[in-house]
Amino acid sequence: MSDRTCLVTGANSGLGLATAIELAKRGHRVVGTVRSEEKATPLHDAAAEAGVEVEHRLLDVVDAERGAELIDEIRPDALVNNAGYGMSAPVELVDDADASALIDTMLLAPVRLARAAIPHQRERGGGHVVMISSILGRITMPMTGWYQAAKHGLEAVSDALRQEVAGDGIHVVLVEPGFFRTSIFDDLDRDAVRYRGQGYDSAFARARQTLERSTWAMGDPASVAKTVAKAIGSSRPRARYLVGPDAMAMDAVNPWVPTAVRDRLARFGYGL
């Protein structure tokens, strides 16, 4: 267990940072990817505070060549695909370039890295690929359509990949957090400014009010990190791990609410 090498993408903040530290605490060799040397500082500061050691490598996950090189260098026993960003915007206002950039980062890049890691894991007789998805990979709501498209796609391709490589002892795991204390407000505010005055200002305002009212229920990223570590430490991990009471509640209720009712509630909540 303690000699496993774990590669965590997007390890400078939020869920990725918490996961890198948790895995290091459990005795694994941890390599976290960041996009600049400056962004490596929070990772090493957190590791020092926790009394553990982590390594970092520079990687923009959309750089396919660099990603393949890094996988060949590290040969991870466990790959945690966490890097990404939020997008809160109505579907009609997102142009092809922005939609493509999001899909490349949130869907294509994790699969590319997994594709590069699997031969190494197969050679040593097994491994883990953990995809950090979201409750929004299971359900949908307004104002996050493209983000949800990426997460729904990630879930579908992960299901297929899991079935394809299970015979080689490789476990593909989806971790589906609810809303956690990460950069969610920053992402929302950024997009509200970008798309201001195009017919959805009230929906952005309603979305922020809803988030503000629910901050008390937002979880600590450490709970997601513990779930990832649990999956990596298991020889028979589950296919999916919902994390957070909000995610569990939404998943439990969603199948029982008719689509027309869900639509009305969503439109009312966002003022649409």
Side-chain angles (χ1 to χ4, degrees), residues 6-272:
C6 302
L7 180 63
V8 182
T9 66
N12 58 288
S13 65
L15 304 182
L17 175 59
T19 297
I21 299 305
E22 181 64 28
L23 290 171
K25 286 180 179 179
R26 299 194 184 205
H28 300 297
R29 176 198 177 199
V30 177
V31 181
T33 75
V34 295
R35 289 191 296 165
S36 69
E37 290 293 344
E38 181 182 6
K39 288 181 178 293
T41 300
L43 174 61
H44 291 293
D45 287 349
E49 184 176 348
V52 297
E53 292 186 6
V54 297
E55 303 171 41
H56 80 272
R57 299 290 190 278
L58 298 183
L59 175 67
D60 185 334
V61 293
V62 300
D63 185 339
E65 182 177 354
R66 170 59 182 156
E69 290 173 352
L70 181 59
I71 292 292
D72 287 343
E73 174 200 344
I74 302 299
R75 298 170 59 88
D77 299 280
L79 168 65
V80 182
N81 277 310
N82 165 77
Y85 58 94
M87 178 183 284
S88 297
V91 171
E92 69 166 310
L93 298 186
V94 178
D95 62 25
D96 285 358
D98 288 335
S100 295
L102 183 77
I103 296 297
D104 195 7
T105 301
M106 308 285 283
L107 175 55
L108 297 180
V111 176
R112 278 196 299 264
L113 292 172
R115 193 168 61 222
I118 283 169
H120 297 299
Q121 295 179 348
R122 181 180 289 119
E123 183 180 337
R124 68 170 59 93
H128 291 71
V129 175
V130 180
M131 303 290 202
I132 304 298
S133 181
S134 167
I135 183 59
L136 296 183
R138 292 199 186 195
I139 67 170
T140 58
M141 58 181 62
M143 305 295 287
T144 52
W146 283 109
Y147 179 86
Q148 291 166 158
K151 291 300 188 183
H152 278 253
L154 184 64
E155 301 233 342
V157 75
S158 296
D159 282 340
L161 183 61
R162 183 183 65 252
Q163 297 162 6
E164 292 161 359
V165 300
D168 296 309
I170 299 169
H171 305 283
V172 180
V173 177
L174 284 159
V175 174
E176 304 163 315
F179 292 95
F180 280 76
R181 294 191 292 274
T182 56
S183 62
I184 187 170
F185 284 101
D186 293 339
D187 293 340
L188 178 60
D189 291 343
R190 176 202 66 212
D191 291 331
V193 170
R194 179 174 186 181
Y195 297 105
R196 181 177 294 160
Q198 299 184 62
Y200 288 91
D201 291 357
S202 62
F204 277 111
R206 292 276 191 100
R208 201 179 206 291
Q209 290 170 3
T210 299
L211 283 176
E212 288 172 348
R213 287 195 295 266
S214 61
T215 51
W216 64 272
M218 290 183 182
D220 187 329
S223 62
V224 177
K226 287 180 170 61
T227 300
V228 173
K230 176 182 177 181
I232 290 174
S234 174
S235 61
R236 297 181 65 185
R238 301 205 306 263
R240 282 176 166 77
Y241 291 84
L242 278 167
V243 188
D246 57 341
M248 295 178 185
M250 285 187 281
D251 184 64
V253 170
N254 194 60
W256 300 98
V257 181
T259 299
V261 174
R262 290 201 304 269
D263 286 355
R264 290 192 188 98
L265 290 173
R267 291 179 60 201
F268 176 78
Y270 285 84
L272 296 169

